[in-house]
Amino acid sequence: MQTMPSKTKSPVKGAAAPAEHGYEFFGPPGAFAISFGLPLLVYVFTFVCNDISGCPAPSLLSPRSLTLDQLKLEVGWPRGGISGLASWKATGAVLAYYLLNLILYRVLPATEVEGTVLSSGGRLKYRFNTLYSNTVTLAALAAGTVAQGAEFPVWTFISENYLQILTANIGISYAIATFVYVRSFSVKSGNTELRELAAGGHSGNLLYDWFIGRELNPRVTIPLIGEVDLKEWCELRPGMMGWIILNCAWCAQQYRNFGFVTDSIICITVVQAVYIIDSWWFEPAILTTMDITTDGFGMMLAFGDLVWVPFVYSMQTRYLSVHPLSLGPAGLAGIISLIVLGFYIFRSANSQKNAFRTNPEDPKVAHLKYIETKTGSKLLISGWWGIARHINYLGDWIQSWPYSLPTGLAGYQILAAGAGAASEGAFIMRDGREVIQGSARGWAMPITYFYVVYFAVLLIHRDRRDDEKCHRKYGDDWEKYKQIVRYRIIPGIY
């Protein structure tokens, strides 16, 4: 089915031509490093923090005596070597999961929403039912857990095949990025499908364009499924749902390991689920984000959506599944307070912006002050957006801390069953192995707190990218706006 464009808008008189779009992420070298370095980093996290020897693996704490063979034993390197990183069983299960997401996308009720105006003047239509489809998936998983507990086959399959599931998702992200890159060369100007190239995605460098995304909103028509907007579909469905699924799998693993589930792992799982479900509830708000309006769909977003989000963002619950910690009433209250504060700033700011863009006459936002640019756009200078240019990023970052704080001074060692009397503060697994912190105490913090540091870097970088994009778009008007709204993310500081 083709989507017909709406009436094209005439160029605004007096508007300056947009500045040329240069390289981002340090150009081709950065694209190479991210595209092939980050998958390796996810594997490193998987092996270094494990349920075989410890987190980090003991040999890494004694580099002088480190041998490759010993390290392989400690981290659980597959017997088949590189080929053992993948399996047909895990790949088939992951593909079935993606197919289920597509089927639910098609068969469940949906709301049709128009996207923002494209450079051609038209608007794409989007089919939104992520909340419905993922709720069905969660309900099925909940029913299975009620019936079979922590031994529910989905949870045990994930624990037993985690490495191979990771590899399958990496492979899918590479395949999608390659497919949309090759297909982007069929984009013709003036086409009725409203296909467009991303402003920064057709530099002419193959690697960079493959990474950054050449086509803005690639869509495919799948037999029996219909038309699917790949970028929007990947943004909120398989990866975000996978994030919740992995957290639940690690909760089940903790119960299988120790016979109980701690408040810390439940807290992280619940608050992250609330954050994720919030994005499904406010699904139309995604249409005004940089990912949809500006970035092409390539390796950067495909890998981020399908691999980085579910596998890196669930590292804390994976850690706690082997080294359980209890927060207690005071700790739990502190964590929840941070979550509420961050979520309030994040959701209130985003809702205000989305309401203003959708209907500036809405009584909730009609009082807000703004400056109008030569392009006709309105830039808010009061309300949340008069405090900082990306005040929503501050709320987002505040929420990242409670994801990591429950892991404490992270680090643990796993001793063989019968190795000696149980140490003070040790946890005994059901198979008799003993989990202690010992000399590993604190050494796993770069892993369990990685999300906080990474997220700060991501948000700062995203703010810089947005600043450059807006300068190209609005020119002098953007500089005037920055003189009024001086701070980027943190009022009075940055």
Side-chain angles (χ1 to χ4, degrees):
M1 181 180 69
Q2 294 182 343
T3 304
M4 299 303 293
S6 58
K7 185 181 293 185
T8 303
K9 291 185 176 181
S10 301
V12 178
K13 292 182 179 180
E20 184 179 351
H21 203 301
Y23 281 137
E24 297 180 282
F25 299 95
F26 303 103
F32 178 86
I34 295 173
S35 298
F36 302 103
L38 290 189
L40 292 178
L41 182 61
V42 182
Y43 280 122
V44 168
F45 287 147
T46 301
F47 285 118
V48 168
C49 193
N50 59 76
D51 62 354
I52 298 171
S53 61
C55 180
S59 290
L60 296 175
L61 299 177
S62 305
R64 291 184 179 180
S65 59
L66 176 65
T67 65
L68 184 58
D69 289 339
Q70 178 62 24
L71 185 61
K72 284 183 176 180
L73 289 174
E74 291 179 353
V75 303
W77 184 255
R79 292 182 179 179
I82 296 294
S83 63
L85 297 176
S87 74
W88 289 111
K89 179 173 66 174
T91 301
V94 171
L95 289 174
Y97 167 69
Y98 278 70
L99 179 60
L100 173 63
N101 272 272
L102 285 169
I103 293 172
L104 294 176
Y105 165 77
R106 176 48 51 193
V107 302
L108 293 179
T111 302
E112 194 172 75
V113 178
E114 283 192 334
T116 57
V117 178
L118 300 170
S119 61
S120 64
R123 293 174 183 261
L124 289 169
K125 292 182 179 180
Y126 292 83
R127 178 182 172 83
F128 286 155
N129 65 359
T130 299
L131 180 64
Y132 296 148
S133 60
N134 287 346
T135 298
V136 169
T137 304
L138 287 174
L141 293 172
T145 305
V146 169
Q148 297 178 279
E151 299 296 333
F152 181 44
V154 171
W155 309 139
T156 57
F157 183 86
I158 290 173
S159 296
E160 294 166 2
N161 299 274
Y162 177 75
L163 184 62
Q164 293 73 27
I165 293 171
L166 167 62
T167 301
N169 280 278
I170 292 174
I172 290 171
S173 67
Y174 278 124
I176 291 177
T178 303
F179 169 77
V180 294
Y181 173 78
V182 173
R183 188 172 177 269
S184 70
F185 288 93
S186 65
V187 175
K188 306 297 181 184
S189 60
N191 62 83
T192 58
E193 297 91 353
L194 295 178
R195 296 179 64 192
E196 294 185 1
L197 298 182
H202 48 104
S203 67
N205 182 280
L206 187 154
L207 174 62
Y208 179 81
D209 293 346
W210 172 79
F211 161 76
I212 204 74
R214 204 167 178 277
E215 187 171 353
L216 183 61
N217 295 299
R219 296 183 165 204
V220 295
T221 300
I222 303 173
L224 304 180
I225 300 296
E227 186 181 61
V228 178
D229 186 290
L230 290 176
K231 184 164 65 171
E232 198 281 329
W233 187 83
C234 287
E235 191 90 3
L236 293 179
R237 291 172 186 269
M240 294 288 268
M241 182 71 235
W243 184 2
I244 293 181
I245 291 174
L246 286 176
N247 279 342
C248 292
W250 299 130
C251 288
Q253 181 66 54
Q254 187 186 77
Y255 186 84
R256 291 197 301 274
N257 283 339
F258 303 102
F260 58 80
V261 180
T262 57
D263 56 5
S264 59
I265 197 170
I266 293 174
C267 177
I268 294 176
T269 299
V270 170
V271 297
Q272 289 185 344
V274 169
Y275 176 83
I276 296 164
I277 293 171
D278 172 76
S279 71
W280 300 342
W281 183 272
F282 294 98
E283 187 172 12
I286 195 176
L287 298 180
T288 59
T289 63
M290 182 184 292
D291 286 358
I292 299 298
T293 63
T294 306
D295 292 333
F297 188 58
M299 176 59 185
M300 178 180 73
L301 288 181
F303 177 81
D305 293 340
L306 306 180
V307 180
W308 194 256
V309 167
F311 292 92
V312 173
Y313 291 10
S314 62
M315 285 195 302
Q316 294 86 4
T317 52
R318 182 169 178 261
Y319 170 89
L320 291 170
S321 72
V322 183
H323 185 240
L325 295 174
S326 179
L327 294 172
L332 198 59
I335 292 296
I336 293 175
S337 296
L338 270 180
I339 283 290
V340 170
L341 173 63
F343 184 79
Y344 172 71
I345 296 173
F346 172 79
R347 177 46 57 202
S348 296
N350 279 342
S351 295
Q352 187 179 81
K353 178 183 68 174
N354 192 58
F356 184 80
R357 286 183 173 180
T358 304
N359 179 20
E361 305 303 321
D362 188 322
K364 294 179 181 179
V365 295
H367 66 284
L368 297 177
K369 297 179 181 179
Y370 60 87
I371 62 173
E372 188 164 353
T373 69
K374 296 182 183 68
T375 65
S377 297
K378 297 175 181 178
L379 303 176
L380 287 171
I381 56 173
S382 68
W384 280 111
W385 301 92
I387 299 174
R389 301 198 290 272
H390 278 116
I391 189 68
N392 58 328
Y393 289 179
L394 174 61
D396 225 359
W397 190 62
I398 290 174
Q399 289 181 86
S400 71
W401 278 94
Y403 299 170
S404 298
L405 286 172
T407 63
L409 294 174
Y412 61 80
Q413 295 175 314
I414 300 178
L415 307 180
S423 304
E424 184 179 354
F427 298 95
I428 307 301
M429 290 185 172
R430 284 181 167 179
D431 61 9
R433 290 183 297 162
E434 184 178 338
V435 181
I436 64 171
Q437 284 210 284
S439 59
R441 179 182 174 87
W443 284 100
M445 290 181 70
I447 298 175
T448 62
Y449 286 79
F450 172 81
Y451 178 75
V452 174
V453 178
Y454 152 76
F455 204 46
V457 173
L458 172 72
L459 294 175
I460 291 171
H461 181 258
R462 182 172 290 181
D463 166 75
R464 299 291 174 131
R465 291 183 66 213
D466 188 61
D467 183 69
E468 292 176 3
K469 181 200 77 172
C470 290
H471 178 75
R472 287 192 300 269
K473 183 176 181 180
Y474 303 122
D476 292 341
D477 288 331
W478 182 248
E479 299 307 314
K480 293 177 184 177
Y481 164 75
K482 291 200 298 184
Q483 291 176 5
I484 300 173
V485 184
R486 295 173 52 202
Y487 296 103
R488 293 175 178 269
I489 299 174
I490 306 177
I493 299 177
Y494 176 77

